[in-house]
Amino acid sequence: SHRKPKRRFAWTLDEEKYLKLHEVRMLRQSCWQAKALALRENKTTAVRDWFMVELGLNTGLRVEEMSRLQCGDLHVQAGQSSVSVRKGKGDKPRTVRINADFRKTCRWFLAWKLKQGQDTTPAAWLLTTEKGSQISKRALQKAFKRCMARAGLPARYSIHSLRHTYGTHLLKAGRYNLRLV
């Protein structure tokens, strides 16, 4: 019997799949400016889009996971700093730890939603359409493309690039310890 030799998995950082630090800065700055304008004009979409980008960059969630998040999935009260994914890949739940800065961002976003008259009860959708219904994966993908275009960044990136960006920067920060990531 002739067996094929086992191929070793070689994971590489594909430059096309994640945003570089200067691109992250450009995207954040552009989204922050659009959010500031939306707040002055009492509009909601740019504020939601800004939070969507921050959520992706700070948690590495998949787009489906973002669309399914409920307000109660953010654990950002005193002593809590995590996001619960009830149904991740393979229907598996998991908890994603978040840092103190993003915890403040989450608290601000929930307070803003409440001030807008939006539902923030635990079962309410976190990211919603203008009408307050659950946002679809496709709507999140389109919103991300809008954010990238406004920032003047390449169209080759998709919302999934936020997940790759999170993972890649975490890998670099962890001195390339893949087990840690």
Side-chain angles (χ1 to χ4, degrees):
S1 83
H2 188 312
R3 286 189 172 163
K4 282 185 179 179
K6 282 188 179 179
R7 281 185 32 189
R8 290 184 49 98
F9 176 72
W11 193 82
T12 59
L13 298 180
D14 185 344
E15 298 277 325
E16 297 291 307
K17 291 188 176 181
Y18 70 93
L19 285 80
K20 278 39 108 212
L21 281 175
H22 75 279
E23 292 172 322
V24 170
R25 280 189 216 103
M26 288 172 66
L27 177 60
R28 280 187 157 146
Q29 179 69 22
S30 175
C31 288
W32 189 86
Q33 288 171 344
K35 175 189 112 177
L37 181 63
L39 290 171
R40 284 194 299 275
E41 296 178 353
N42 203 28
K43 294 185 177 175
T44 59
T45 303
V47 179
R48 181 210 58 214
D49 291 353
W50 159 80
F51 186 75
M52 167 200 65
V53 167
E54 290 298 324
L55 180 66
L57 288 171
N58 282 281
T59 64
L61 295 182
R62 294 174 179 90
V63 66
E64 176 102 18
E65 295 167 344
M66 282 191 219
S67 74
R68 287 183 178 174
L69 277 182
Q70 295 174 335
C71 292
D73 295 332
L74 294 183
H75 306 289
V76 293
Q77 302 314 317
Q80 298 179 322
S81 294
S82 66
V83 175
S84 290
V85 175
R86 283 173 280 105
K87 275 180 110 174
K89 193 171 185 176
D91 284 341
K92 292 181 182 170
R94 73 176 192 286
T95 300
V96 179
R97 305 277 309 148
I98 58 172
N99 65 33
D101 285 341
F102 186 60
R103 180 176 162 220
K104 287 178 196 168
T105 298
C106 292
R107 290 174 77 161
W108 182 92
F109 185 70
L110 288 171
W112 171 81
K113 280 178 67 85
L114 191 60
K115 198 167 118 183
Q116 296 299 306
Q118 295 182 30
D119 188 0
T120 59
T121 57
W125 298 114
L126 182 64
L127 299 173
T128 59
T129 64
E130 294 263 337
K131 295 176 183 161
S133 58
Q134 178 186 15
I135 196 160
S136 68
K137 281 174 43 177
R138 186 68 192 122
L140 284 174
Q141 291 164 339
K142 284 181 176 181
F144 179 76
K145 288 292 188 183
R146 245 190 342 264
C147 291
M148 293 297 285
R150 189 184 315 115
L153 291 166
R156 73 173 179 265
Y157 293 120
S158 69
I159 192 168
H160 195 73
S161 299
L162 296 177
R163 182 171 171 78
H164 286 282
T165 301
Y166 172 81
T168 300
H169 292 291
L170 188 61
L171 183 66
K172 288 178 180 180
R175 296 190 177 135
Y176 296 90
N177 180 345
L178 199 52
R179 278 189 183 269
L180 174 69
V181 175

